[in-house]
Amino acid sequence: MANTKYIFVTGGVTSSLGKGIIAASLAKLLQARGYRTTIQKLDPYINVDPGTLNPYEHGECYVTDDGAETDLDLGHYERFLNVPTSQANNVTTGRIYQSVIEKERRGEFLGKTVQVVPHITNEIKERIQILGNSGNYDIVITEIGGTVGDIESLPYIEAVRQLLWELGENNGIVIHLTLVPYLSAAGELKTKPTQHSVKTLMESGIKADILVCRTEHELSEELRHKLALFCNVKREAVIQSIDAKTIYDVPNLMLQEGLDSVVLKKLALVEEDKPDLSRWNKFLTKLQNPKNEVNIGLVGKYVELQDSYKSILEAFIHAGAENEIKVNVKSIHSEYITEKAIAEDFKNLDGILVAPGFGDRGIEGKIRAVQYAREHNVPFLGICLGMQMAVIEFARNVLGLESANSTEMNPKTASPVINLMEEQKNIEDKGGTMRLGAWECELKEGSKVHDIYGKSMILERHRHRYEFNNDYKEKIETAGLIATGLNPKTGLVEIVELPSHPWFVGVQYHPEYKSTVANPHPLFVAFVKAAFMHSEKKQNATLA
């Protein structure tokens, strides 16, 4: 296909309607029809990236292979499409302004007054088209963060208006996601918020081509006709997006509504056979018909907001479906884990995952959780900080190094089993300065992880600045906690295992970032399987 086509997804009425899921679902349908499709996210906040944001602010920070710290929606894009994203897939206002200001300082604008229009909007248009100009994609879907009418979104909306004009007929369309609320007092759905939202979009010079209406109740034919008439779209372009049991149902729901067909027609693209969703639906069948279930404790300090651990929760869904097991995730706040309560709180768990994080709040609770898993032979998976807590717990309670700690938590600890990486010691800036992106890891022959991955060299994504201190490696391994994964270039420890334990693995990287519907992450698949075996063992012991 000669020219890349562009689809812009905007949102109205309220935030959190699920633009990312709609964009990912549409991309899945187009991909399943044979079109090379990718998605990017434009975020209107002034942070250069979400790397310095507290998870309570914006959910988890998702990391790509090339080391970009990005919005969590990119996780949805990868999980649905099974195609890696990159820095080009996430653009923030902060990055746009930073780039324009750097160009101004270099004198690239030849003394011109630098303004939002045309300089900021030109930069936005350039970023939107990077993926399209690569020659790798037939269709680029661009999700615009925020809600139409927000001050911070205006430069993006103006850039889209200009780009639609420049692209010409049938090369770019706008999908507007909006809310059709149900008023229980009146007993009916209301279209007025959608009408106002579309009007606000039109005031910025953009006409919505397709309406996707989020609703809790079915849209009647009469109501669809009314929306089409007053929002100036064709009747077939009024798409219902009703609440679903799982986000993975949405592609099929959009297929039933004909979203992909309308999109292809408006972009003047060939609509041949229906999309091939056989593999997707096989996953859904397993997900919706589990044969067994397990209870896994997710120990973290941001558990009040589920989006803080979004990729972990989704990885459990993928791994659960692969094993035909329903994974019941019990969120446990590490700050409130006490020695008194732990036996009661953990007694029904079949597995324990200690989650990533930063800072010293709640770490003693994480260490207690690791100790419980180790001493009670409960399957354990530690991710990033969770792996580091496993090393600290082992050093304290097995090696007898009572002061063992990370220099992140206690810079003056006498036993710094986790220490700041040498190249990090003189870095002052927080943003984008950690060990980020995909790094190699060589697996030890005969280890549990080698069996799980089925190969000797893996590539996994990182996001951290503290590491296992190799000065303690020999002492820790002699006591029984073995380093079974090392970075071949730096010698840094990536994985630790406890061979004397049924299933005890800590990883310095983030396996959850690479788990997709098509390729559930092998570590999560093995962990869920181990949790089920532990559950079976407990039941057999009870019956005996």
Side-chain angles (χ1 to χ4, degrees):
M1 204 167 81
N3 298 321
T4 301
K5 308 281 188 174
Y6 291 87
I7 300 168
F8 300 97
V9 180
T10 60
V13 183
T14 180
S15 60
S16 302
L17 290 180
K19 289 194 299 292
I21 300 302
I22 292 297
S25 298
L26 173 59
K28 184 73 220 171
L29 294 177
L30 295 172
Q31 183 193 58
R33 285 184 181 273
Y35 289 102
R36 298 173 302 159
T37 310
T38 190
I39 322 173
Q40 63 181 175
K41 174 79 180 285
L42 305 183
D43 272 311
Y45 50 73
I46 298 176
N47 304 66
V48 173
D49 58 46
T52 56
L53 287 172
N54 187 303
Y56 288 136
E57 289 283 320
H58 215 254
E60 75 171 7
C61 174
Y62 187 81
V63 178
T64 58
D65 278 341
D66 64 350
E69 294 177 286
T70 69
D71 184 80
L72 62 81
D73 273 336
L74 268 71
H76 290 312
Y77 305 163
E78 288 201 13
R79 286 188 281 272
F80 276 57
L81 296 180
N82 198 39
V83 175
T85 54
S86 68
Q87 180 66 75
N89 293 78
N90 192 201
V91 181
T92 68
T93 295
R95 193 172 292 281
I96 294 290
Y97 273 84
Q98 184 185 53
S99 178
V100 171
I101 290 167
E102 285 172 354
K103 288 178 181 178
E104 185 274 332
R105 292 289 83 188
R106 291 194 298 268
E108 290 186 24
F109 298 120
L110 301 174
K112 294 279 188 184
T113 302
V114 180
Q115 297 174 285
V116 173
V117 180
H119 301 97
I120 296 298
T121 50
N122 283 349
E123 185 75 21
I124 293 169
K125 287 189 290 181
E126 190 179 308
R127 296 299 180 107
I128 289 172
Q129 294 177 95
I130 284 174
L131 291 165
N133 292 338
S134 70
N136 296 326
Y137 303 104
D138 303 318
I139 301 168
V140 175
I141 301 175
T142 302
E143 176 193 347
I144 299 172
T147 308
V148 168
D150 294 346
I151 290 172
E152 55 263 38
S153 296
L154 289 176
Y156 291 110
I157 298 298
E158 170 59 18
V160 169
R161 184 197 67 76
Q162 292 179 21
L163 194 53
L164 287 168
W165 182 81
E166 291 168 10
L167 289 168
E169 289 291 315
N170 305 124
N171 289 318
I173 61 169
V174 174
I175 297 174
H176 191 56
L177 180 63
T178 181
L179 178 69
V180 180
Y182 179 79
L183 295 187
S184 54
E188 61 181 350
L189 292 161
K190 291 293 182 182
T191 65
K192 194 62 72 178
T194 295
Q195 292 178 49
H196 280 297
S197 181
V198 170
K199 183 181 177 184
T200 301
L201 192 61
M202 291 184 74
E203 285 170 355
S204 298
I206 294 178
K207 176 188 174 298
D209 296 287
I210 298 170
L211 285 183
V212 176
C213 304
R214 287 285 287 114
T215 175
E216 296 175 358
H217 299 268
E218 295 279 344
L219 301 183
S220 66
E221 187 57 40
E222 181 186 2
L223 193 138
R224 289 179 190 240
H225 180 77
K226 182 179 178 181
L227 281 166
L229 178 65
F230 288 114
C231 295
N232 201 28
V233 299
K234 289 195 181 324
R235 160 62 192 83
E236 65 184 21
V238 178
I239 304 294
Q240 170 183 283
S241 177
I242 201 160
D243 289 355
K245 289 180 182 177
T246 166
I247 59 172
Y248 299 109
D249 284 330
V250 179
N252 279 313
L253 293 174
M254 291 302 99
L255 178 64
Q256 290 168 21
E257 287 288 309
L259 175 60
D260 56 325
S261 296
V262 177
V263 165
L264 291 173
K265 193 180 294 183
K266 289 188 176 293
L267 291 174
L269 292 174
V270 177
E271 182 188 355
E272 293 179 346
D273 298 332
K274 285 201 169 187
D276 179 9
L277 292 175
S278 54
R279 192 172 177 185
W280 185 272
N281 289 329
K282 186 178 178 183
F283 156 78
L284 271 178
T285 300
K286 285 184 173 183
L287 178 65
Q288 293 163 357
N289 300 282
K291 295 176 180 175
N292 299 289
E293 62 181 274
V294 293
N295 299 312
I296 292 180
L298 172 58
V299 180
K301 61 180 181 179
Y302 307 114
V303 293
E304 299 95 330
L305 182 67
Q306 291 292 291
D307 277 357
S308 300
Y309 303 112
K310 191 66 180 172
S311 291
I312 290 174
L313 295 174
E314 298 305 316
F316 274 132
I317 290 173
H318 307 153
E322 184 70 11
N323 284 293
E324 297 183 89
I325 292 171
K326 182 184 178 185
V327 180
N328 303 313
V329 179
K330 180 183 178 185
S331 296
I332 301 169
H333 202 303
S334 61
E335 210 171 354
Y336 307 125
I337 295 175
T338 62
E339 287 183 27
K340 272 187 179 180
I342 195 167
E344 184 63 29
D345 293 343
F346 283 47
K347 70 178 182 182
N348 294 321
L349 297 181
D350 305 310
I352 296 169
L353 184 147
V354 176
F358 294 93
D360 62 357
R361 182 172 65 89
I363 68 151
E364 293 302 326
K366 288 188 175 185
I367 290 168
R368 288 191 188 103
V370 175
Q371 184 178 4
Y372 183 92
R374 182 177 60 80
E375 293 179 349
H376 291 80
N377 286 329
V378 179
F380 166 81
L381 177 59
I383 296 177
C384 199
L385 184 67
M387 173 266 208
Q388 295 174 5
M389 295 301 101
V391 173
I392 292 169
E393 188 279 327
F394 191 83
R396 286 184 186 179
N397 298 319
V398 178
L399 282 179
L401 301 175
E402 293 181 9
S403 63
N405 214 328
S406 166
T407 52
E408 179 184 6
M409 320 308 171
N410 179 8
K412 295 180 180 177
T413 177
S415 303
V417 292
I418 304 295
N419 203 0
L420 191 64
M421 294 159 58
E422 198 59 40
E423 60 268 31
Q424 293 280 332
K425 288 183 178 175
N426 296 318
I427 292 176
E428 293 183 8
D429 288 349
K430 296 284 187 192
T433 58
M434 291 181 276
R435 180 148 78 106
L436 293 164
W439 289 68
E440 286 185 330
C441 174
E442 192 170 359
L443 306 180
K444 189 174 182 178
E445 292 279 346
S447 65
K448 191 178 291 294
V449 285
H450 189 277
D451 291 342
I452 289 168
Y453 281 95
K455 52 187 173 182
S456 297
M457 191 68 75
I458 59 171
L459 202 64
E460 292 281 4
R461 300 178 191 177
H462 293 66
R463 184 175 182 251
H464 61 100
R465 53 170 51 89
Y466 290 83
E467 300 274 2
F468 184 106
N469 188 343
N470 279 339
D471 291 346
Y472 291 85
K473 183 168 175 280
E474 186 179 347
K475 193 180 288 188
I476 288 172
E477 286 198 313
T478 301
L481 186 65
I482 310 299
T484 56
L486 299 175
N487 180 275
K489 292 179 182 175
T490 63
L492 292 169
V493 173
E494 300 277 13
I495 307 172
V496 294
E497 285 183 34
L498 199 58
S500 60
H501 190 284
W503 209 98
F504 189 103
V505 178
V507 295
Q508 183 62 80
Y509 51 84
H510 290 259
E512 71 274 20
Y513 291 152
K514 293 188 77 170
S515 186
T516 70
V517 169
N519 288 303
H521 197 284
L523 263 184
F524 277 88
V525 173
F527 180 49
V528 169
K529 187 176 181 180
F532 174 67
M533 290 172 70
H534 179 76
S535 169
E536 290 278 275
K537 192 176 177 181
K538 277 197 306 184
Q539 286 180 23
N540 291 337
T542 304
L543 292 172

